[in-house]
Structure formats: C-alpha cells, structure tokens
Amino acid sequence: MPTEDLLHDALCEGHPRQAHDAAAQLADRSLTAGEMRQLSSAAGAADAHLRMRAVFLLGRLQRHAEQADLLIRKALQDPVWTVRESAAAALAQLAVDCDAKLPDAHEALTNSTLRDRSHFVRDAAVQSLVRLSRRNQVSLDQLRRALRDPRPPIRCRAAEALVCFPDRAD
C-alpha cells in the first residue's frame, strides 16, 4: 500500500485496528518531507483525537526519531489528557526502538507526565518508565518516587514494576 494511503489510515477516523496496522507498516518506511509535514500538522491539529493518533504514530517512526521526539515532547504538554497519555507511551516506544538516540527520555517523562494532574497520564508515565528502566537507573529512581503517588493504582503499578527488578529495586 502506498505510504500516503497508510498515513491516511493511521490518522483518519476508522477502525482502530486498521489505524494500528497502518502505523506498524509506516514504522518500516521513510516518510517524505511532505508526509512528515502532514504528520506534524496532525500533531498540532485542533481535534484532540487526531493529535492523539498522530502522537501514537510518531512513537513508531524510528527512522525519523529526531523530528518525532520533538513533536512527542510538545504533546506531553497538550491541554487534553488523552494526548498527554498517548505521548507518554509514544516517547517510551520511540526511546526503546531507538535505544541510545534518546538517552534523556526518562527525564522528559519524569518532568512532565509523572507529575501530571491526570492519574491516567501518571499511570502511562509509570508504564513508560518500566519500559525504559531496563536500560536506565534513573528510571528506577523515578519508579521509586511513584510509590508515593496519591493514587493507589499508580503506587501499585510502580510496586509491580519494581518487583521485576529485584536485584536493583532496593
């Protein structure tokens, strides 16, 4: 399928599975400058659902990691919690896929989303830090701090994550 069609499927209304499949196929492709502009425009659109889908897709574009990283970090400050939640997950996905290219992803998650007013965003941040903690001692430190979150589900998620690292989770 042409990249243009995949980009449309990933961003436009339709069945979520179709959008997810299109995003997975786009992850293996290089996008043109025009396609990246279209994706950047979607990430800043007035429609929060479109921004959320764009951020989800950006998290899978390791070939465009620098551009995707900037747009995702901007989305971490979005006024709509669902977009921030998607951005937290997308940043972790991109960081894990790109490994050493985004060494400070844990800091971005900690500084914006782990302290977010929405417990859904904080939960996504904890889950993202779990993904990053396998490579990063600082992420483990942030998970330890999440044990003091006012919401029990977030404390529970952090505790569950730390149990996975018994040799490093003191």
Side-chain angles (χ1 to χ4, degrees):
M1 182 179 288
T3 302
E4 247 179 59
D5 294 343
L6 287 172
L7 192 56
H8 178 270
D9 287 352
L11 295 175
C12 295
E13 288 297 325
H15 192 276
R17 185 69 199 167
Q18 183 180 1
H20 187 272
D21 291 346
Q25 290 181 48
L26 283 167
D28 297 329
R29 299 188 184 196
S30 289
L31 301 182
T32 66
E35 291 163 341
M36 281 304 294
R37 276 193 302 278
Q38 182 182 356
L39 187 52
S40 176
S41 177
D47 178 14
H49 189 71
L50 179 57
R51 292 194 311 271
M52 187 175 68
R53 282 187 175 215
V55 168
F56 173 84
L57 176 56
L58 287 164
R60 277 124 187 96
L61 298 181
Q62 61 191 31
R63 290 186 184 200
H64 302 277
E66 287 181 26
Q67 290 172 289
D69 180 46
L70 292 173
L71 292 168
I72 292 169
R73 288 173 194 247
K74 183 176 179 183
L76 289 172
Q77 306 302 320
D78 196 276
V80 178
W81 73 264
T82 55
V83 177
R84 295 191 310 272
E85 178 186 39
S86 184
L91 184 58
Q93 178 70 46
L94 189 64
V96 167
D97 289 348
C98 295
D99 205 19
K101 291 182 187 174
L102 303 173
D104 65 337
H106 63 279
E107 290 175 26
L109 287 166
T110 301
N111 293 336
S112 58
T113 57
L114 200 57
R115 297 183 184 116
D116 198 275
R117 64 188 173 276
S118 167
H119 67 277
F120 295 111
V121 177
R122 292 193 311 270
D123 188 48
V126 168
Q127 291 179 57
S128 296
L129 286 168
V130 169
R131 295 189 71 194
L132 296 176
S133 65
R134 289 173 176 81
R135 294 179 172 79
N136 193 311
Q137 181 63 39
V138 176
S139 295
L140 284 170
D141 294 341
Q142 301 310 323
L143 287 171
R144 289 184 192 107
R145 285 191 195 131
L147 291 172
R148 295 186 300 271
D149 192 275
R151 302 272 308 181
I154 295 168
R155 292 193 308 266
C156 184
R157 176 105 50 201
E160 289 171 355
L162 289 168
V163 168
C164 295
F165 306 97
D167 57 325
R168 297 170 59 194
D170 303 342

